[in-house]
Amino acid sequence: MPEGLEAELYRRAAEVCVGRVVATVDVDPRQQLAIPIGRELVGSEVTGMRRIGKLVLVDLSMPDGDSVVLGLHFGMTGRLVVDGIAPIERLEYSSGRDDPAWDRLLVGFDGVGSMRVNDPRRWARFTLDPDETRFGPDLLDHDVATFTDALAESLAGRRAALKSILLDQSIVAGLGNMTVDEILWQVGFSPLAPAGQLEREPITRLVDAIDEHLPAMLVRGGSHTGVLEPAIRSGLPPCPRDGVALRRDVVGGRSTVWCPGHQTANGRSS
DNA sequence: GCCCTTGTTACGCC
DNA sequence: AGGCGTAACAAGGG
């Protein structure tokens, strides 16, 4: 499903739209929180394509010179299709079909080209000038030292499960259920460990794991291209690292797969 | 026809 | 007050 990695793949695909002028905007009328995006965007020029966490931000310059930002959040099953090409063909947990009836936002450009969000379950959300300050450091785009400091500050004193904290977009923007499970498996921390228990050195190892594995998964095509997710395609096999039976628990209200053998409270085997 | 899937948010409890 | 856990919600697929 679209986590930060997928949003980055969408953003890159949508960059070809920079410089184009919006000719038509159609929004699913049943879009919840439907905002009056539409006519007033017609005539605006796309000046940038940014991303914060799971949110893709389309910078628009209006004919009168005003700027507006269109925020695209893809929910669990939203796919971006640019000029008829989907950067991610088959989304985990979603249908592989591209039914025009599922188009929730369709932007046509002057001359040629289009950008649309196709979402069977209607969980995608579109906003104008979304609050960009509510996010923590981005999962991919951050300075290592600053990120480590911010994470240490965010985790300090927290008693909630490490996984719950890492899923909080105001702490790290863009991590989702799959990427958190993968990172914790890679670095060897229990998802259930109280977050505040991590000391400085384990936090630096967590940051190292994020910086090593997420860019690699991005290159491979997204949040399902780690070790853990492919391994659990059919049931719960032994842990690919140490052969201990993987567990499935609910942590932070989310289905969580982890290895009680090598994932411990401080990342050190006992 | 029930139950699964996830990100976000609302809400009650401590 | 605010951290924390839980549940509700979107809706199609199995």
Side-chain angles (χ1 to χ4, degrees):
Chain A
M1 70 296 314
E3 303 183 4
L5 297 183
E6 282 72 21
E8 175 59 16
L9 294 173
Y10 289 164
R11 188 200 67 78
R12 291 179 180 183
E15 268 193 315
V16 298
C17 298
V18 174
R20 295 180 183 179
V21 173
V22 174
T24 60
V25 179
D26 292 290
V27 188
D28 171 18
R30 280 183 47 194
Q31 178 75 29
Q32 224 189 20
L33 308 178
I35 44 157
I37 60 178
R39 274 138 224 75
E40 79 266 25
L41 294 184
V42 171
S44 65
E45 180 185 341
V46 179
T47 57
M49 197 63 70
R50 296 177 295 126
R51 179 192 58 80
I52 302 178
K54 301 167 185 172
L55 187 66
V56 171
L57 299 161
V58 186
D59 291 319
L60 296 165
S61 176
M62 308 296 286
D64 63 8
D66 282 357
S67 295
V68 88
V69 180
L70 172 61
L72 308 177
H73 192 286
F74 297 89
M76 180 175 161
T77 53
R79 297 198 312 160
L80 186 70
V81 184
V82 180
D83 297 343
I85 298 168
I88 299 176
E89 204 50 53
R90 183 99 173 70
L91 210 51
E92 296 296 300
Y93 293 109
S94 186
S95 164
R97 286 163 53 217
D98 180 14
D99 190 328
W102 298 336
D103 282 345
R104 308 305 179 196
L105 174 68
L106 175 55
V107 178
F109 297 106
D110 271 347
V112 68
S114 66
M115 189 175 80
R116 64 188 163 87
V117 177
N118 186 265
D119 177 22
R121 299 187 201 178
R122 243 191 208 104
W123 293 359
R125 290 293 175 261
F126 316 122
T127 48
L128 287 185
D129 294 321
D131 179 6
E132 299 185 19
T133 67
R134 64 187 178 95
F135 297 104
D138 187 76
L139 80 173
L140 291 167
D141 186 12
H142 54 245
D143 171 77
V144 177
T146 312
F147 183 57
T148 307
D149 288 343
L151 202 52
E153 192 172 334
S154 296
L155 299 187
R158 303 297 293 266
R159 282 174 303 174
L162 178 59
K163 171 165 175 172
S164 315
I165 300 291
L166 292 177
L167 284 174
D168 184 338
Q169 301 298 292
S170 70
I171 290 176
V172 180
L175 290 179
N177 200 35
M178 282 188 202
T179 33
V180 167
D181 277 1
E182 176 73 17
I183 292 298
L184 293 178
W185 182 87
Q186 289 283 359
V187 73
F189 294 153
S190 165
L192 296 155
Q197 197 171 314
L198 284 197
E199 295 181 8
R200 185 77 188 189
E201 191 273 336
I203 290 173
T204 65
R205 278 187 282 136
L206 178 62
V207 170
D208 287 347
I210 287 172
D211 289 342
E212 176 185 351
H213 297 290
L214 293 185
M217 291 163 72
L218 183 67
V219 168
R220 292 198 294 266
S223 51
H224 59 286
T225 63
V227 172
L228 202 52
E229 173 62 24
I232 61 174
R233 268 304 140 66
S234 48
L236 277 186
C239 173
R241 178 168 298 177
D242 62 11
V244 172
L246 292 175
R247 287 182 56 104
R248 186 183 290 275
D249 290 297
V250 174
V251 183
R254 290 291 161 251
S255 171
T256 300
V257 175
W258 64 291
C259 169
H262 81 276
Q263 290 181 249
T264 60
N266 64 1
R268 300 280 187 220
S269 302
S270 48

